[in-house]
Amino acid sequence: MRLPKGLIVATMILVAVIVQTTLFGQLDLITPDLVMLVAILLALTRIRPELTLAVGFAAGLVVDLLSSSLTGLRAVVFTVVAYVALRTRERASIGRPAMAIWAGLTSFVGVALLVLIGTLFGQSNLLGPDVEARVIVVPLANTLIAGLIGPVFVRLIDGDRTAFRFS
Amino acid sequence: MLTDESRGRTTPTLITLVVLGLLLMTFHVRLDGGGVVGVMRSGAQAIISPIQEAAAFGVNPVVDLVDSLSNVASLREENLALRAQLAEREADLVGLQDQMARLETFEQLYDLGDAGTELPRTVANVIGSPDFLDGALIIDKGATDGIAPGQPVIDSQGYVVGSVHEVTSGTATVVPIVVGSSGVQVIVGDQKGVLMPQVGSELMRLEVFGARDPVLVNDRVLTSAGSVSFPVGLAVGRVVEDAAPVSDSLTTTVQPFADPDTLRLVIVLAWPPDPISASDQGIVEPVEEGTTTTTTGSTTTEGDG
């Protein structure tokens, strides 16, 4: 029996939020943004583009509501990131490294936007001591994770075992 | 690539969602995080925090293991340094025990008792952080443990970490002073000043108005009696640059003692200890973002968080 796609996506976002706020919230060694990565990778699935944007918005809003910063900030950024991912998604179909680099570059756009809008809105808690390093480190971590789990993620959401099987 | 048809629907959806997000941001700013936004926030945290607490049981050992592995090279040196430190502290302890014995004798002689000034403390584990950019910490104690928004938070050494921002029944969010949106009223020697966070830096800026004397490197910075968010006399940091008064004011940088990135355990102080008696005496009570109001007048004070 196949689970409804909406349930799988909601579970993925919940898992991403929990792992992000607990495990990666304490580790300095590797600092990805899993929730942003989920919003990006959803662009590779067969989910309707409008729904992908809505899911990106909802995922960002959940992180906003759990954080101490401005509500709506990540919702806007994750929506824009999902849009960028949708517009450039054919570049990820070349191969696994291309998919990883594509996810990393899109993550860079997202992190840069977060810092930019955070600065404009005076969100000092978003601009801590390591902000410059994180603008680089987070996309690199997302690149690595996208390379590892990206194809499996798409197959799981779409229920298609042949999707993104690079030869 | 998106087809023309799907692009035709995607762009309006994007614009709608961005406008909705901007509206939420506006509501947040206008309502100062309260109202509808506050209700949404409380609801989301009430749903997610039990799962975070459960996940922390599995995650914390993994985090400790990774931390230990990444620090294995420095552990031997750290052990040696700690042994030396322990020997020093044991020597200090012997001296303190002697002083305590003398103090007890004097207290008995003069019939002195405990003034009851010890603040109730709640020890909490740090179980995470909202995301990679947010400097806030999530702790595993909440309203059911007596935690309330605005309460001061210190580390196990007694150094100021920050204050409680949001509370659910089982967890709370702590915003450290280094990333807070407002400053802390402090004293250096006998001079009063304000310690402000600096964007993108772990150092804080100390401003002393009406400065008479210079401040020197390694001078200790403590919370002042004028602080509405912290009890008086808590250690905050040390001065890292000499500075002399210029036109009655003085500016320098301070290294906070507590490093929020490395904290695994914090202590929440129940302060003010008795809000009812505090309000009877006209003592201000802490509220969010360092804005405080007195109960005996309409005074509004800013600049402490």
Side-chain angles (χ1 to χ4, degrees):
Chain A
M1 192 186 78
R2 175 150 170 73
L3 289 169
K5 203 176 269 190
L7 186 65
I8 299 174
V9 173
T11 308
M12 289 282 185
I13 289 169
L14 184 65
V15 169
V17 168
I18 298 298
V19 174
Q20 181 71 48
T21 53
T22 54
L23 180 65
F24 294 121
Q26 295 185 75
L27 278 182
D28 289 333
L29 203 63
I30 179 166
T31 53
D33 189 333
L34 283 187
V35 189
M36 187 189 285
L37 187 59
V38 168
I40 291 167
L41 291 177
L42 279 177
L44 300 178
T45 65
R46 289 179 200 144
I47 295 174
R48 292 213 316 268
E50 311 89 85
L51 275 180
T52 302
L53 294 182
V55 171
F57 182 87
L61 188 59
V62 170
V63 182
D64 277 330
L65 294 173
L66 296 177
S67 75
S68 60
S69 52
L70 196 61
T71 307
L73 175 61
R74 288 175 190 78
V76 167
V77 169
F78 287 14
T79 309
V80 173
V81 163
Y83 184 76
V84 172
L86 284 167
R87 294 295 300 268
T88 57
R89 63 182 169 181
E90 79 283 0
R91 287 167 176 81
S93 58
I94 303 167
R96 195 181 278 261
M99 176 194 270
I101 292 167
W102 166 81
L105 287 174
T106 316
S107 298
F108 177 78
V109 172
V111 178
L113 263 178
L114 265 179
V115 173
L116 181 72
I117 302 177
T119 307
L120 291 176
F121 276 85
Q123 295 296 294
S124 57
N125 52 341
L126 285 181
L127 308 166
D130 308 325
V131 66
E132 295 91 351
R134 292 193 180 212
V135 169
I136 305 298
V137 171
V138 172
L140 284 178
N142 274 9
T143 303
L144 184 71
I145 294 174
L148 290 173
I149 64 153
V152 179
F153 177 89
V154 178
R155 278 174 226 146
L156 198 65
I157 299 283
D158 285 342
D160 178 3
R161 291 180 184 180
T162 61
F164 284 92
R165 284 210 179 272
F166 305 109
S167 54
Chain B
M1 186 73 76
L2 292 176
T3 61
D4 285 344
E5 187 190 353
S6 60
R7 191 179 297 159
R9 289 192 301 265
T10 310
T11 308
T13 311
L14 172 76
I15 293 167
T16 308
L17 291 172
V18 168
V19 170
L20 187 59
L22 289 172
L23 275 174
L24 278 172
M25 287 192 228
T26 311
F27 277 129
H28 184 114
V29 173
R30 302 271 306 178
L31 300 170
D32 200 18
V36 181
V37 174
V39 171
M40 285 168 65
R41 210 169 257 251
S42 306
Q45 290 181 352
I47 293 166
I48 301 285
S49 65
I51 309 172
Q52 283 175 323
E53 280 184 88
F57 280 111
V59 163
N60 285 349
V62 177
V63 172
D64 290 341
L65 178 70
V66 173
D67 276 351
S68 305
L69 288 174
S70 60
N71 296 327
V72 75
S74 61
L75 279 179
R76 190 180 293 274
E77 284 175 21
E78 198 178 328
N79 260 344
L80 287 171
L82 285 171
R83 276 176 212 273
Q85 209 176 356
L86 181 65
E88 278 178 35
R89 294 289 176 269
E90 279 176 347
D92 290 346
L93 186 63
V94 172
L96 281 173
Q97 281 170 340
D98 182 44
Q99 287 180 0
M100 286 294 287
R102 292 181 63 191
L103 181 65
E104 274 178 34
T105 309
F106 285 129
E107 280 180 351
Q108 282 170 0
L109 277 173
Y110 291 102
D111 198 22
L112 295 172
D114 184 6
T117 52
E118 186 69 21
L119 292 171
R121 295 163 175 235
T122 306
V123 179
N125 291 304
V126 175
I127 59 169
S129 174
D131 82 348
F132 66 95
L133 275 180
D134 198 322
L137 307 169
I138 302 170
I139 59 171
D140 66 350
K141 295 284 165 64
T144 51
D145 305 289
I147 310 289
Q151 286 183 336
V153 179
I154 58 174
D155 68 4
S156 53
Q157 310 284 316
Y159 301 140
V160 171
V161 172
S163 53
V164 176
H165 182 72
E166 298 273 349
V167 179
T168 69
S169 60
T171 63
T173 307
V174 174
V175 176
I177 52 170
V178 285
V179 295
S181 55
S182 53
V184 181
Q185 298 276 353
V186 292
I187 49 165
V188 191
D190 59 350
Q191 303 189 92
K192 290 179 184 173
V194 181
L195 203 54
M196 302 290 293
Q198 298 190 108
V199 170
S201 172
E202 63 185 5
L203 300 177
M204 299 183 77
R205 191 174 76 251
L206 172 67
E207 289 178 1
V208 179
F209 299 105
R212 300 172 304 279
D213 305 313
V215 295
L216 303 173
V217 170
N218 288 333
D219 278 356
R220 279 168 73 88
V221 178
L222 308 173
T223 52
S224 85
S227 174
V228 292
S229 298
F230 296 96
V232 63
L234 294 177
V236 183
R238 63 178 184 84
V239 173
V240 292
E241 271 178 68
D242 291 341
V246 177
S247 306
D248 273 6
S249 70
L250 179 154
T251 304
T252 186
T253 46
V254 168
Q255 172 76 59
F257 288 130
D259 180 3
D261 288 343
T262 58
L263 288 175
R264 291 282 175 270
L265 188 136
V266 293
I267 297 161
V268 183
L269 302 176
W271 188 86
D274 181 359
I276 295 168
S277 65
S279 62
D280 286 347
Q281 293 161 23
I283 297 173
V284 286
E285 57 185 36
V287 290
E288 282 180 41
E289 307 294 341
T291 305
T292 60
T293 53
T294 61
T295 52
T296 53
S298 58
T299 314
T300 299
T301 313
E302 289 189 7
D304 207 334

